[in-house]
Amino acid sequence: MILAIESSCDETSVALVHDGRVLANRVSSQIRLHAEYGGVVPELATREHLRNLIPVARAAMESAGVRPEALSAIAATRGPGLPAALLAGFTSAAGLAYALDRPLYGIHHHEAHLYSPWIWGEPLSAQFQEFEPHVSLIVSGGHTLLVHVRGELDHAVLGGTLDDAAGECFDKVSKLLQLPYPGGPVLDRLAGEGDPTAYVFPRPMLTDPGWDFSFSGLKTSVRYFLEKHPGLADDPLAIRNLCASVQAAIVEVLSAKAVRAAKHLGVGCVTASGGVTCNRGLRAELERRCKRWGLRLRLADRTLCTDNAAMIGVLAERKQKAGVAPDDYSAPTQPGWGLG
Ligand code: KG4
Ligand code: ZN
């Protein structure tokens, strides 16, 4: 029985994982707290983690009927993420592991994201299913990564963003349109009522030979577009069309590159996780493209797209089963830890 903690950004999450089954996955989101500031404030995030960690852990333990003595290992996100937020979760995990005399597993946040599309089933009876070689898209407010996963614990980063992350682009465009924070879900909803062909925005690096992304130019072109059409912000239909057109540009780049990478590498499967994977346009476009090219598609369940401790616990258990050595209790957190 592994107790896992995730605290790399603005979600405090504790999960219990046993033999591939997620027995509890509690998430306390801080979105409302940060909305006032239009973005995550690291200092506030850390205080909130400290306030919430024990209540969230207690709720997870009680809902699964698990006593501390039943825990066989503790896991926590070691990086990358906000430095102090990581410290709050990781040192709590180290303290618990030391007090119970159990091994401690420091987990790479992005590597854990690779596992969330493979946790299937209803929340609380969700179960890890062994995965096949695939290409994985990790898209959130902080990261945009394309990864070749050859097998468990065996992966190589194909590319990432050279500037803004995909979620950051959604959020910044929403800000330009004065939509509420966090912008991604709002833009997604408005895009659903608009015409994606109304306006044409650039598809950055779509045809470049590599696997990297760039989204800051797209955000800038939206800014110029709004400056050229000052009345647009007062026209509800034009806003919806703009949201749909911008979303179509982001979604086309992400889905086309993921599918092209899978074909190039000869793997039969594409997966996606991270907050942006909640986007209905991205889910639909990945489905359409994968079907067209005969690829299997595994999208993380919406409850597991955003940051959660279930994926941390599942990866920790896979590492334990594979005989990977646990961390030293004094292992440092790694805020800028790249996925190798
Ligand atoms: O994974 P996540 O909760 O946190 C990290 O950034 O690590 O992802 C949050 C990001 C935000 O940028 C948010 O706007 C975006 O995911 N997001 C969406 C949608 N839901 C969340 N972007 C587009 N469409 C959505 N439905
Ligand atoms: Zn994440």
Side-chain angles (χ1 to χ4, degrees):
M1 180 76 68
I2 296 188
L3 180 140
I5 296 176
E6 154 63 32
S7 72
S8 64
C9 191
D10 59 345
E11 262 104 23
T12 313
S13 180
V14 177
L16 290 161
V17 174
H18 175 59
D19 208 13
R21 289 174 70 89
V22 180
L23 302 183
N25 180 42
R26 292 273 165 161
V27 183
S28 169
S29 173
Q30 306 174 4
I31 280 184
R32 279 207 210 116
L33 173 75
H34 300 288
E36 191 182 330
Y37 305 94
V40 178
V41 183
E43 171 70 21
L44 292 183
T46 306
R47 290 186 201 187
E48 208 54 20
H49 285 309
L50 289 171
R51 205 193 319 266
N52 290 334
L53 259 164
I54 300 297
V56 172
R58 187 174 282 146
M61 302 278 284
E62 281 174 3
S63 71
V66 171
R67 306 273 316 144
E69 310 80 66
L71 301 174
S72 57
I74 311 295
T77 306
R78 197 171 156 203
L82 300 173
L86 288 168
L87 273 176
F90 194 73
T91 51
S92 301
L96 187 58
Y98 177 71
L100 294 170
D101 193 20
R102 301 290 194 269
L104 171 71
Y105 288 87
I107 298 297
H108 193 294
H109 181 83
H110 296 163
E111 189 179 1
H113 265 300
L114 297 176
Y115 282 71
S116 49
W118 301 89
I119 304 172
W120 289 10
E122 295 297 311
L124 299 191
S125 63
Q127 178 129 25
F128 171 74
Q129 306 211 337
E130 281 191 29
F131 54 57
E132 58 178 305
H134 61 277
V135 162
S136 190
L137 193 57
I138 304 176
V139 273
S140 74
H143 24 265
T144 305
L145 281 180
L146 200 55
V147 186
H148 178 201
V149 186
R150 292 176 288 251
E152 276 202 53
L153 313 178
D154 180 14
H155 48 255
V157 173
L158 297 168
T161 182
L162 303 179
D163 39 58
D164 291 353
E168 205 176 343
C169 185
F170 272 106
D171 294 339
K172 286 180 174 171
V173 169
S174 309
K175 215 169 192 170
L176 290 173
L177 295 171
Q178 297 177 346
L179 300 175
Y181 170 88
V186 184
L187 197 147
D188 182 5
R189 185 169 50 75
L190 294 175
E193 297 161 8
D195 174 6
T197 62
Y199 310 111
V200 179
F201 287 104
R203 269 66 172 153
M205 303 184 77
L206 176 63
T207 52
D208 282 34
W211 306 111
D212 286 330
F213 301 92
S214 163
F215 290 106
S216 74
L218 177 54
K219 167 203 67 195
T220 309
S221 67
V222 174
R223 204 180 73 221
Y224 289 151
F225 182 85
L226 287 171
E227 281 169 11
K228 258 200 223 157
H229 304 86
L232 192 140
D234 302 321
D235 178 349
L237 180 62
I239 296 263
R240 283 166 169 73
N241 287 341
L242 184 76
C243 288
S245 303
V246 173
Q247 180 169 297
I250 300 173
V251 159
E252 182 176 349
V253 177
L254 292 174
S255 52
K257 281 204 154 175
V259 166
R260 200 191 312 148
K263 285 189 291 164
H264 175 80
L265 294 162
V267 299
C269 178
V270 171
T271 73
S273 69
V276 178
T277 308
C278 291
N279 184 272
R280 286 173 298 172
L282 179 62
R283 294 178 89 88
E285 187 61 14
L286 278 170
E287 254 162 42
R288 195 183 67 76
R289 285 178 188 263
C290 284
K291 199 168 173 189
R292 180 162 154 224
W293 292 99
L295 297 165
R296 284 173 293 286
L297 176 66
R298 310 271 176 247
L299 296 170
D301 186 273
R302 281 168 189 280
T303 56
L304 298 175
C305 280
T306 47
D307 292 344
N308 65 84
M311 65 185 190
I312 305 295
V314 165
L315 172 54
E317 193 179 55
R318 301 310 293 173
K319 286 194 163 203
Q320 196 179 35
K321 286 203 161 123
V324 176
D327 282 76
D328 189 270
Y329 293 149
S330 58
T333 50
Q334 302 222 26
W337 199 2
L339 183 63

